[in-house]
């Protein structure tokens, strides 16, 4: 693993990017992608794509689609004693946030860190119910409501976990937002890897907004790009703490071949194409089924239908303050995406579209 990749991974995972507030991530990605693309296009929700042009007239369009947002929260109220109430942005569990550090992003782009209130055991009766997100309080050290507002915090400001990238072992890391800064990282690095390659099609690589609140940005992005084929790059939950549990993801066992989820079924011809590519290039992968979904659920239904595949990785404890992942899985996913893009031509694209 190159030091450059680790630095990019650290930057991306530590950026503030709650749904509808992805501007820090977008700015960083555009800056880093600029040397590898001919131009950028943007949708009106905040998604963007860099285009690597083929120079061919009427060229096919291949889409590589990540999403920039992470799960987070939104400030809803400030109490008279200076505590902040919030609501969820995306799918988060109620029971993991007490005692955690969260950071608010103000409209001035300043980050203010606080601690979620956690009643000490000394003061508990033992009869307390599990608190709902809307019942939690964020303590930023203020003594009253006025002090909170004087620090620039406003109703509607976004909140994400305050978590730094941590290397746990040779191959495993912990961070927030690997779902889906994984996709952002692979999008950037696949463009870099293809920088000197001549392709027969126009390649659109970028990222959508608001995936975590219902695949919203992908809907407008698919209209913007109008792809012939799409690859979605996203992170999925691993369920391997007691060994392999069906097709639910194991760290270190390679990239994910998502064959079924709550929003999309992988087209048989696309499955054959990907497994053949993996076999020829000695790429390690694992079949995966998820009750959730990805931006592929929207993209594959756009226009008259877009053959779409998810090349993903799994991570433990996603949608929390820390996810644990294996960088070897990322390396396999990147090799798979690269080989798959290189194997495409007009005939193969037509076969994937209509077989």
């Amino acid at each position: 693993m190159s030091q450059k990749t680790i630095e990019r991974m650290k930057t991306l995972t530590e950026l503030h990017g709650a749904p509808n507030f992805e501007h820090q991530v977008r700015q960083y990605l555009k800056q880093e992608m600029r040397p590898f693309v001919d131009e950028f296009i943007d949708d009106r929700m905040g998604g963007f794509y860099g285009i690597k042009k083929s120079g061919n007239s009427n060229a096919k369009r291949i889409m590589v689609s990540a999403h920039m947002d992470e799960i987070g929260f939104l400030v809803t109220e400030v109490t008279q004693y200076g505590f902040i109430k919030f609501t969820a942005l995306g799918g988060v569990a109620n029971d993991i946030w007490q005692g955690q550090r969260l950071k608010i992003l103000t409209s001035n782009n300043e980050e203010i860190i606080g601690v979620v209130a956690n009643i000490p055991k000394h003061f508990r009766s033992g009869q307390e119910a599990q608190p709902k997100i809307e019942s939690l309080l964020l303590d930023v050290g203020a003594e009253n409501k006025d002090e909170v507002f004087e620090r620039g915090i406003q109703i509607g400001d976004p909140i994400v976990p305050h978590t730094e990238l941590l290397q746990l072992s040779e191959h495993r890391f912990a961070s927030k937002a690997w779902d889906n800064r994984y996709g952002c990282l692979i999008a950037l690095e696949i463009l870099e890897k293809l920088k000197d390659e001549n392709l027969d099609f126009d390649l659109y690589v970028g990222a959508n907004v608001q995936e975590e609140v219902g695949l919203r940005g992908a809907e407008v992005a698919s209209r913007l790009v109008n792809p012939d084929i799409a690859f979605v790059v996203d992170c999925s939950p691993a369920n391997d703490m007691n060994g392999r549990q069906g097709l639910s993801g194991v760290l270190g066992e390679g990239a994910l071949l998502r064959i079924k989820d709550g929003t999309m079924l992988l087209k048989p011809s696309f499955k054959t194409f990907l497994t053949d590519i993996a076999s020829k290039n000695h790429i390690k992968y694992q079949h995966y089924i998820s009750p959730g979904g990805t931006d592929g659920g929207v993209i594959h239904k756009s226009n008259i239908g877009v053959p779409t595949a998810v090349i993903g990785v799994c991570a433990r404890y996603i949608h929390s303050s820390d996810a644990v992942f294996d960088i070897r899985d990322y390396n396999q996913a990147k090799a798979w995406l690269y080989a798959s893009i290189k194997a495409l031509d007009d005939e193969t694209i037509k076969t994937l579209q209509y077989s």
Side-chain angles (χ1 to χ4, degrees):
M1 176 57 54
S2 72
Q3 187 60 35
K4 180 187 286 188
T5 294
I6 292 174
E7 289 170 0
R8 287 169 168 167
M9 186 166 63
K10 178 177 174 62
T11 297
L12 281 165
T13 56
E14 293 179 6
L15 286 172
H16 208 294
N20 202 38
F21 299 91
E22 299 93 346
H23 52 278
Q24 288 188 359
V25 183
R26 180 170 57 250
Q27 181 179 357
Y28 173 78
L29 284 176
K30 278 192 166 185
Q31 172 187 306
E32 294 297 306
M33 287 180 173
R34 189 161 284 111
F36 312 126
V37 300
D38 296 296
E39 66 174 299
F40 288 107
I41 55 173
D42 302 89
D43 65 52
R44 294 173 186 171
M45 286 184 67
F48 79 94
Y49 282 80
I51 310 173
K52 178 179 170 63
K53 295 182 178 179
S54 64
N56 297 335
S57 59
N58 300 316
K60 300 294 187 183
R61 298 182 176 194
I62 306 303
M63 181 184 198
V64 176
S65 183
H67 71 84
M68 290 176 276
D69 58 316
E70 61 189 288
I71 58 94
F73 307 96
L74 198 72
V75 175
T76 58
E77 184 182 342
V78 180
T79 73
Q80 62 175 321
Y81 299 111
F83 292 94
I84 294 166
K85 292 188 174 185
F86 50 88
T87 189
L89 291 175
V92 296
N94 293 337
D95 60 345
I96 61 173
W97 300 103
Q98 295 181 82
Q100 298 281 3
R101 294 181 181 182
L102 306 180
K103 58 183 179 181
I104 302 169
L105 183 66
T106 73
S107 58
N108 295 324
N109 222 34
E110 295 180 2
E111 295 182 355
I112 297 175
I113 299 168
V115 178
V116 180
N118 183 24
I119 301 172
K121 182 176 177 61
H122 313 65
F123 303 137
R124 294 187 182 186
S125 67
Q127 304 302 313
E128 290 84 2
Q130 182 186 111
K132 296 181 179 180
I133 295 296
E134 286 76 12
S135 300
L136 296 175
L137 298 170
L138 184 63
D139 187 343
V140 295
E143 297 185 29
N144 52 57
K145 178 186 291 190
D146 290 342
E147 188 176 330
V148 172
F149 291 128
E150 286 167 3
R151 293 176 66 179
I153 296 170
Q154 300 176 4
I155 304 301
D157 284 346
I159 308 171
V160 298
H162 175 57
T163 307
E164 296 181 350
L165 179 74
L166 175 65
Q167 186 163 0
L168 300 172
S169 63
E170 182 180 359
H171 302 297
R172 294 190 175 178
F173 293 78
S175 78
K176 75 170 183 68
W178 190 233
D179 175 17
N180 184 34
R181 306 296 155 71
Y182 147 72
C184 296
L185 179 63
I186 201 173
L188 167 58
E189 296 206 328
I190 206 68
L191 277 173
E192 183 177 45
K193 193 172 177 64
L194 288 164
K195 65 180 180 180
D196 297 322
E197 304 277 1
N198 293 318
L199 303 174
D200 292 333
F201 45 81
D202 293 344
L203 182 65
Y204 290 71
V205 180
N208 311 319
V209 298
Q210 298 190 42
E211 190 269 357
E212 298 292 1
V213 289
L215 318 182
R216 298 174 187 176
E219 186 169 348
V220 297
S222 61
R223 294 193 194 111
L224 175 72
V225 175
N226 189 23
D228 292 284
I229 297 289
F231 295 95
V232 171
V233 282
D234 204 348
C235 175
S236 303
N239 184 25
D240 65 347
M241 289 183 289
N242 292 312
R244 183 177 291 279
Q245 307 293 314
L247 302 183
S248 58
V250 178
L251 262 63
E253 289 298 309
L256 301 185
L257 178 63
R258 182 181 281 246
I259 57 175
K260 174 183 180 291
D261 66 26
T263 63
M264 192 184 82
L265 298 171
L266 178 62
K267 196 173 184 180
S269 59
F270 217 151
K271 180 175 181 288
T272 299
F273 171 77
L274 289 171
T275 54
D276 286 348
I277 292 292
S279 177
K280 291 174 184 175
N281 292 275
H282 309 290
I283 291 163
K284 190 174 184 180
Y285 71 92
Q286 52 188 313
H287 292 89
Y288 187 82
I289 291 177
S290 173
T294 73
D295 280 339
V298 169
I299 295 168
H300 86 288
K301 296 186 294 183
S302 62
N303 300 317
I304 61 170
V306 179
T308 302
V310 181
I311 293 184
V313 295
C314 63
R316 295 172 183 159
Y317 332 126
I318 69 169
H319 287 207
S320 73
S321 58
D322 263 296
V324 173
F325 56 94
D326 194 309
I327 201 64
R328 292 172 294 186
D329 297 335
Y330 170 79
N331 291 335
Q332 294 299 304
K334 185 167 72 170
W336 204 4
L337 180 59
Y338 173 79
S340 298
I341 290 171
K342 287 287 293 176
L344 291 174
D345 54 31
D346 283 357
E347 182 179 348
T348 303
I349 293 168
K350 187 173 182 179
T351 298
L352 292 175
Q353 288 176 321
Y354 292 104
S355 65

